[in-house]
């Protein structure tokens, strides 16, 4: 069994709002990679890595950073959770490389394509209604049969009963309707609200878009407002999704019990990596929910999520950050295997990809 020699970080600048953060764990001749992207928190992520890494140097490679990096007091908050989750992904990657097996295979899955939905939000620098519609059409033309939009810019719970707040909600609904018009009735449409509503305004908004037939409404209220989730669940039969920043078994169970979500959205970058995502899928299943991983970030987080989905029956679709940068697929070797709206799980060991040195040199930034 190989022992860990080094843990390092690579920060890649994608856009004005996005830096992708990757951690690499080296053990002998092998290097595993995981993703810890957490927008705007890059210095905190690196500080947590430097705090955690010394306890791992010299340790044997094992699946499950939760075993190697206990954190019962949850020191460091979400940044620490992201670092531990990235290390977990990298350890699974290492273990797969050493065994000559893909992560999906190690989890009992098969090399079958994984369905993706195109989150077009990060591609939309221009936020006009036509821009939303145009992005959705382009995603569908590339083979995606499911699209997600986040249309409610500027809406906040304290504004929903004001004239300006109602205007912003109207604008968001116009964006949703425009997207449905151009993608047609057969394409699935998800709506992400980023927790911008209270119960009354969320209920009213959902009634107004019933004819658009959204596949789910994501985070209509803030994830941690369990009281609002309980009341909202009682008011609507529409499919609800949420929970992207919920970390840990206890908090996840509380959220699932209170919210009654149809789709739990654990993120492999925060929930404990691959080990955590597998656990969250089982927990969601106990509550009758599907799990669709939150993943609007880089190619390593997507690879980890897709590998788990290929082996997990209640993970029918995975999020893909569509259109953010044109060079995304070249950031890894081999190139990110997104084809026709699906992630092609192959037989390459581990996560099936590594960071491409040339592309990293071009877009890497110091933090």
């Amino acid at each position: 069994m190989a022992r860990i020699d080094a843990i390092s970080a690579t920060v890649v600048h994608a856009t004005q709002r996005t830096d992708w953060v990757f951690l690499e764990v080296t053990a002998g001749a092998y290097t595993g990679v995981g993703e810890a992207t957490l927008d705007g928190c890059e210095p905190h992520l690196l500080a947590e890595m430097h705090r955690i890494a010394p306890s791992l140097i010299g340790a044997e490679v094992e699946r499950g950073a939760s075993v190697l990096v206990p954190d019962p007091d949850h020191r460091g908050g979400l940044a620490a959770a992201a670092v531990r989750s990235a290390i977990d992904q990298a350890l699974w990657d290492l273990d797969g490389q050493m065994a000559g097996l893909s992560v999906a295979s190690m989890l009992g899955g098969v090399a079958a394509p994984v369905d993706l939905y195109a989150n077009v939000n990060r591609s939309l620098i221009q936020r006009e209604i036509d821009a939303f519609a145009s992005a959705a059409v382009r995603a569908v033309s590339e083979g995606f049969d499911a699209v997600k939009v986040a249309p409610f810019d500027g809406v906040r719970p304290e504004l929903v009963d004001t004239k300006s707040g109602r205007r912003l909600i109207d604008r968001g609904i116009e964006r949703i309707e425009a997207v449905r018009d151009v993608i047609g009735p057969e394409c699935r449409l998800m709506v992400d609200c980023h927790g911008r509503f209270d119960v009354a305004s969320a209920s009213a908004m959902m009634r107004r878009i019933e004819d658009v037939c959204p596949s789910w409404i994501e985070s209509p209220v803030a994830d941690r407002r369990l009281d609002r989730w309980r009341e909202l669940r009682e008011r609507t039969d529409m499919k609800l999704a949420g929970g992207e920043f919920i970390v840990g078994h206890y908090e996840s169970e509380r959220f699932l019990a209170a919210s009654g979500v149809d789709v739990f959205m654990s993120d492999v970058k925060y929930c404990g990596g691959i080990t955590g995502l597998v656990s969250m899928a089982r927990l969601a299943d106990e509550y009758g929910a599907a799990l669709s991983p939150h993943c609007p970030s880089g190619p390593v987080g997507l690879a980890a999520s897709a590998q788990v989905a290929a082996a997990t029956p209640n993970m029918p679709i995975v999020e893909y950050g569509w259109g953010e940068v044109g060079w995304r697929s070249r950031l890894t070797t081999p190139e990110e295997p997104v084809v026709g709206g699906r992630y092609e799980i192959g037989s390459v060991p581990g996560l099936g990809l590594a960071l491409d040195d040339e592309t990293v040199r071009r877009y890497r930034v110091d933090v």
Side-chain angles (χ1 to χ4, degrees), residues 124 127-134 136 149-153 155 164-183 189 191 197 205-206 208-210 212:
L124 290 167
R127 306 294 289 179
E128 298 302 318
I129 292 172
D130 288 349
F132 276 75
S134 176
V149 295
F152 293 109
D153 298 359
V155 176
S164 61
R166 289 190 290 271
R167 188 182 305 117
L168 292 170
I169 293 170
D170 290 344
R171 187 74 163 171
I173 290 173
E174 289 171 0
R175 291 172 175 136
I176 296 168
E177 291 171 341
V179 169
R180 172 55 81 197
D181 284 345
V182 297
I183 64 176
L189 175 59
V191 177
F197 294 84
M205 176 272 294
M206 288 190 287
R208 291 178 63 186
I209 63 171
E210 283 180 350
V212 178

Side-chain angles (χ1 to χ4, degrees), residues 1-268:
M1 178 69 72
R3 294 184 179 274
I4 295 172
D5 298 318
I7 300 175
S8 60
T10 298
V11 182
V12 174
H13 182 66
T15 69
Q16 185 175 1
R17 65 180 292 189
T18 303
D19 287 328
W20 291 322
V21 180
F22 307 104
L23 301 191
E24 292 182 291
V25 179
T26 301
Y30 298 94
T31 297
V33 63
E35 184 165 352
T37 299
L38 183 60
D39 289 340
C41 295
E42 293 76 26
H44 298 294
L45 292 168
L46 269 59
E48 286 300 321
M49 184 196 73
H50 290 303
R51 181 178 71 83
I52 290 171
S55 67
L56 297 179
I57 303 304
E60 290 186 350
V61 172
E62 298 179 38
R63 305 172 197 169
S66 58
V67 176
L68 291 174
V69 195
D71 187 30
D73 298 323
H74 301 288
R75 289 190 299 163
L78 197 58
V83 169
R84 294 194 306 274
S85 297
I87 291 171
D88 180 272
Q89 297 164 50
L91 292 174
W92 276 88
D93 188 19
L94 279 170
D95 205 9
Q97 292 177 46
M98 293 173 185
L101 297 170
S102 69
V103 169
S105 294
M106 289 193 293
L107 290 170
V110 296
V114 173
D115 284 344
L116 304 175
Y117 68 83
N119 178 351
V120 304
N121 191 57
R122 286 178 178 266
S123 72
L124 290 167
I125 306 302
Q126 301 297 322
R127 306 294 289 179
E128 298 302 318
I129 292 172
D130 288 349
F132 276 75
S134 176
V137 165
R138 283 183 283 134
V140 171
S141 73
E142 293 176 13
F144 290 91
D145 61 5
V147 173
K148 185 169 83 176
V149 295
F152 293 109
D153 298 359
V155 176
R156 301 194 306 274
E158 62 270 24
L159 288 180
V160 292
D161 287 329
T162 68
K163 183 176 180 180
S164 61
R166 289 190 290 271
R167 188 182 305 117
L168 292 170
I169 293 170
D170 290 344
R171 187 74 163 171
I173 290 173
E174 289 171 0
R175 291 172 175 136
I176 296 168
E177 291 171 341
V179 169
R180 172 55 81 197
D181 284 345
V182 297
I183 64 176
E186 300 303 320
C187 184
R188 289 169 287 178
L189 175 59
M190 295 82 159
V191 177
D192 189 351
C193 303
H194 288 157
R196 295 179 179 275
F197 294 84
D198 61 16
V199 174
S201 58
S203 299
M205 176 272 294
M206 288 190 287
R207 287 193 295 271
R208 291 178 63 186
I209 63 171
E210 283 180 350
D211 291 344
V212 178
C213 300
S215 293
W216 72 57
I217 304 296
E218 179 179 336
S219 299
V221 297
D223 278 351
R224 298 196 178 277
R225 290 300 306 266
L226 300 186
D227 55 334
R228 291 180 175 176
W229 277 103
R230 288 188 187 97
E231 186 177 351
L232 187 62
R233 179 72 286 174
E234 292 173 356
R235 289 192 181 197
T236 183
D237 293 326
M238 193 170 285
K239 281 193 174 182
L240 300 177
E244 63 195 58
F245 292 125
I246 302 295
V247 174
H249 189 279
Y250 173 73
E251 292 297 332
S252 297
E253 189 162 25
R254 287 185 70 225
F255 176 80
L256 285 162
S259 67
V261 289
D262 303 280
V263 182
F264 190 35
M265 305 196 77
S266 286
D267 192 316
V268 74

